[in-house]
Amino acid sequence: MTAVLQRPTLVLNRCWQPVGVVPVARTLSLVCAGTARIVDHDYQLYSWADWASLIPADDEPFIQGVGFRLRVPEVISLTRYDRQHRGSVPFSRRNLYRRDRFTCQYCGSRPGTTELTIDHVVPRSHGGLSTWVNCVLACVQCNRRKANRTPTQARMNLATTPIRPAWHPQYAWPKTSPKSWKQFLSDAYWNVELEE
């Protein structure tokens, strides 16, 4: 049951825009307190009492109570909060892979995580720092070709200019997101299967 309580729940603001990700345990406390409602796949809102009266399907995850089973919510909407998420995305290897969509930023290949490296656009030996605007993913072959040079010196073009990404639920949860989130997130997010 502990694993079920740690599953991710997408948090939407009152305008149904993504603003966070919390574990199911936190979700249930928000819904029980009345500060959030559960959103089902058919966009219907449920209070605690309404949700508790539903019977989980055989293939659905559930929480086993003493005399009942509770469906595991995957999306909630806050009842009063209508602001957008303003947090920043921390720079990390995992988040860099997600920003660059597991794709070499020089040749556009998607060889898999074991064949991707982090390339410093301005090499560290030239004063380049490990930041969002100076790091990109590169396949092993492109990284060797670029070597200790800038893209201009190596005559290699970047597919996109490296930037600090805007906050998105993909950066808030370390694992693959539930498919039920798809209807609340942009299509671009779902074009690439998140890998670990």
Side-chain angles (χ1 to χ4, degrees), residues 93-148:
R93 175 179 286 275
R94 173 179 282 145
N95 287 340
L96 186 64
Y97 273 69
R98 288 179 173 182
R99 182 202 67 185
D100 289 351
R101 309 192 65 71
F102 299 88
T103 304
C104 174
Q105 297 301 293
Y106 294 104
C107 70
S109 68
R110 295 193 65 231
T113 55
T114 58
E115 294 297 314
L116 284 170
T117 62
I118 295 177
D119 176 62
H120 288 75
V121 178
V122 175
R124 287 188 284 189
S125 62
H126 296 211
L129 302 174
S130 296
T131 63
W132 282 116
V133 297
N134 192 48
C135 290
V136 295
L137 289 183
C139 66
V140 172
Q141 186 177 354
C142 286
N143 203 340
R144 278 193 198 125
R145 184 174 150 216
K146 180 178 169 282
N148 195 26

Side-chain angles (χ1 to χ4, degrees), residues 11-21 26 30 34-37 76-87 167:
V11 180
L12 308 174
N13 66 12
R14 196 171 59 156
C15 305
W16 290 43
Q17 298 165 317
V19 293
V21 178
R26 176 73 177 135
L30 290 169
T35 58
R37 298 279 184 260
I76 61 171
S77 175
L78 300 172
T79 56
R80 295 182 190 97
Y81 186 84
D82 59 1
R83 288 179 252 156
Q84 293 183 346
H85 192 281
R86 300 249 186 257
W167 183 89

Side-chain angles (χ1 to χ4, degrees), residues 7-93:
R7 290 171 60 109
T9 303
L10 178 65
V11 180
L12 308 174
N13 66 12
R14 196 171 59 156
C15 305
W16 290 43
Q17 298 165 317
V19 293
V21 178
V22 296
V24 167
R26 176 73 177 135
T27 298
L28 296 176
S29 66
L30 290 169
V31 174
C32 190
T35 58
R37 298 279 184 260
I38 298 170
V39 182
D40 207 359
H41 61 84
D42 59 359
Y43 300 103
Q44 185 171 349
L45 292 173
Y46 291 89
S47 67
W48 176 264
D50 296 335
W51 189 255
S53 68
L54 300 176
I55 298 170
D58 291 337
D59 61 342
E60 281 184 309
F62 61 88
I63 298 166
Q64 180 67 53
V66 174
F68 67 96
R69 287 184 173 181
L70 185 68
R71 287 175 62 193
V72 173
E74 294 181 341
V75 180
I76 61 171
S77 175
L78 300 172
T79 56
R80 295 182 190 97
Y81 186 84
D82 59 1
R83 288 179 252 156
Q84 293 183 346
H85 192 281
R86 300 249 186 257
S88 62
V89 179
F91 179 78
S92 69
R93 175 179 286 275

